[in-house]
Amino acid sequence: MSEFIAPLESLIEGFARLPGVGRKSATRYALAVLDMNDEDVMSFADSLAGAKTRIKRCKICGNFTDTDTCPVCDDTGRAPIICVVEDVRALMSIERVREYRGRYHVLGGVLSPMNNIGPDQLNIASLLSRISAEGVTEVIIATNPTVEGEATAMYLTKLLTPLGVKTSRLAYGIPVGADLEYTDAVTLMRALDGRRELN
Amino acid sequence: MSEFIAPLESLIEGFARLPGVGRKSATRYALAVLDMNDEDVMSFADSLAGAKTRIKRCKICGNFTDTDTCPVCDDTGRAPIICVVEDVRALMSIERVREYRGRYHVLGGVLSPMNNIGPDQLNIASLLSRISAEGVTEVIIATNPTVEGEATAMYLTKLLTPLGVKTSRLAYGIPVGADLEYTDAVTLMRALDGRRELN
């Protein structure tokens, strides 16, 4: 027998499906919902129910959008540079910096033979067609610095080089504010590799 | 202008209303929802939308229930002892211990003149009428050990004593596993006050 009455139990199970939310936090959230006013709960439930239908993928870059194309692709002032990211989380992180003023391309994952994710499962074909269609001058590959992210970056470079487009990769190195003593060996090695001349 | 498209923004706002959830966690939850399968999202939204209507207060004790009375009050095997708690969270905590086999009464708060909460705003009248109706032999007052909780306990004792029912209060003292060195002065004083003779 469950500890709670059925409707409360199903609400707790809903919250417990979220990343990093255990049963205890889920129970806390569920009880908080019961204390909220009806209007707030209904608008929350409505945005949840509509999320998957209202939020679509941009036809050009794969970013989230509520129309056909996303606000980034609609922005005509963006330079013809494409930053290739694994997912929308990465895109958001880069946008938050407000430094990059180019376009994006969301792969929707990385190559991972172990999980049966090959080039066909990723958003790669549309990236290649964008190169000439948008007159792209540079592709910045910003996949994560993991084994899969690296392999994907190498694979993309091989596809892009014959198209005559400049490809680059985000710099590896010591994060700002970090301590050399606590930096792992691989990162230090990459930081040495990528050292820059001082003028 | 918002950082996100409207439907995503409203979903994030929904999650951010939960206790202890900031904008960053709310964004993480919202993006996780977009990765869930449709069925899970719809059942989550459904339990959320129905929560306030399906989950009612027990007519007897004030606990959450989906029928007229709660599973605790429906349990005829419970002793005629009433444990008075501030809210359902406290009731759940005591039930979880599986030691107490009496009934409950949920006040729905504590006396707090600062917040305009007087006896009429609490579930007190129905507690008094339960004493004779259920032949209650003891009332355990389990409000929190805060100023308001104490004041409420004293107020209830004054109301209950003339009814000829035994009233008691949860014991104060050093929590099991704690260290005397780090126990605050008030708790230590209460622990001394409430000392028990060893046989």
Side-chain angles (χ1 to χ4, degrees):
Chain A
M1 197 193 95
S2 150
E3 194 181 350
F4 302 113
I5 49 168
L8 188 56
E9 183 65 36
S10 78
L11 185 55
I12 292 171
E13 275 165 17
F15 280 117
R17 266 186 222 113
L18 298 171
V21 177
R23 217 182 138 77
K24 207 161 178 177
S25 300
T27 307
R28 189 167 164 229
Y29 295 160
L31 293 178
V33 165
L34 296 177
D35 282 340
M36 281 183 198
N37 67 52
D38 289 21
E39 206 178 303
D40 281 354
V41 176
M42 290 317 292
S43 85
F44 185 13
D46 178 62
S47 28
L48 196 55
K52 299 274 279 192
T53 48
R54 280 180 221 138
I55 304 174
K56 295 170 283 190
R57 294 298 188 145
C58 171
K59 281 184 177 166
I60 301 173
C61 74
N63 186 12
F64 291 134
T65 177
D66 49 358
T67 50
D68 270 357
T69 53
C70 75
V72 177
C73 290
D74 288 344
D75 182 353
T76 52
R78 300 233 169 196
I81 297 176
I82 291 183
C83 179
V84 179
V85 290
E86 289 182 21
D87 49 33
V88 180
R89 283 170 191 79
L91 183 157
M92 286 174 175
S93 299
I94 298 175
E95 273 297 277
R96 214 170 286 133
V97 182
R98 295 175 192 279
E99 177 68 30
Y100 176 71
R101 289 292 297 163
R103 304 162 192 176
Y104 291 92
H105 195 82
V106 181
L107 289 180
V110 276
L111 294 177
S112 174
M114 296 265 285
N115 301 313
N116 285 320
I117 298 177
D120 294 343
Q121 275 73 50
L122 300 179
N123 205 4
I124 290 178
S126 59
L127 170 65
L128 301 182
S129 63
R130 285 180 71 186
I131 304 297
S132 59
E134 301 181 21
V136 173
T137 55
E138 181 176 354
V139 174
I140 304 172
I141 304 177
T143 52
N144 285 320
T146 56
V147 175
E148 286 95 349
E150 285 301 277
T152 310
M154 280 175 60
Y155 178 82
L156 288 178
T157 309
K158 272 191 194 154
L159 290 181
L160 291 166
T161 314
L163 300 181
V165 67
K166 186 175 154 193
T167 59
S168 58
R169 181 95 176 90
L170 285 191
Y172 287 112
I174 309 150
V176 177
D179 194 320
L180 279 190
E181 187 181 348
Y182 301 112
T183 306
D184 65 287
V186 181
T187 303
L188 262 182
M189 210 172 66
R190 296 292 190 112
L192 279 168
D193 262 1
R195 68 187 179 278
R196 292 170 68 171
E197 212 170 312
L198 296 170
N199 299 315
Chain B
M1 196 193 97
S2 151
E3 194 181 349
F4 302 112
I5 50 168
L8 187 55
E9 183 65 36
S10 79
L11 184 56
I12 292 171
E13 275 165 19
F15 280 117
R17 267 187 221 113
L18 298 171
V21 177
R23 218 182 136 77
K24 207 161 179 176
S25 300
T27 306
R28 190 167 163 229
Y29 296 160
L31 293 178
V33 165
L34 296 178
D35 282 340
M36 282 184 196
N37 67 51
D38 289 20
E39 206 179 302
D40 281 353
V41 176
M42 289 318 291
S43 86
F44 186 13
D46 179 62
S47 30
L48 196 56
K52 300 274 279 189
T53 48
R54 280 179 220 137
I55 304 175
K56 295 170 282 190
R57 293 297 189 145
C58 169
K59 282 185 176 167
I60 301 174
C61 74
N63 185 11
F64 290 135
T65 177
D66 48 359
T67 50
D68 270 358
T69 54
C70 75
V72 177
C73 290
D74 289 344
D75 181 355
T76 51
R78 301 236 169 192
I81 297 176
I82 291 182
C83 178
V84 179
V85 290
E86 289 182 22
D87 50 32
V88 180
R89 282 169 192 81
L91 183 157
M92 286 173 175
S93 301
I94 298 175
E95 273 297 277
R96 214 170 284 133
V97 183
R98 295 176 192 278
E99 177 67 30
Y100 176 73
R101 288 291 299 163
R103 305 161 193 177
Y104 291 92
H105 195 81
V106 181
L107 289 180
V110 276
L111 294 176
S112 173
M114 296 265 285
N115 302 313
N116 284 320
I117 298 178
D120 294 343
Q121 276 72 50
L122 301 180
N123 204 4
I124 290 178
S126 59
L127 170 64
L128 302 181
S129 63
R130 285 180 72 185
I131 305 296
S132 59
E134 301 181 21
V136 174
T137 56
E138 182 177 353
V139 175
I140 303 171
I141 304 177
T143 51
N144 285 321
T146 55
V147 176
E148 286 93 350
E150 285 300 277
T152 310
M154 280 175 61
Y155 178 83
L156 289 177
T157 310
K158 272 191 193 156
L159 290 180
L160 292 165
T161 314
L163 300 180
V165 68
K166 184 177 153 192
T167 59
S168 58
R169 182 94 176 90
L170 286 190
Y172 287 112
I174 308 148
V176 177
D179 193 320
L180 280 190
E181 187 180 347
Y182 301 112
T183 306
D184 64 288
V186 181
T187 303
L188 262 183
M189 211 172 65
R190 297 293 191 110
L192 280 170
D193 261 359
R195 67 187 181 279
R196 293 170 69 171
E197 213 172 311
L198 296 170
N199 300 312

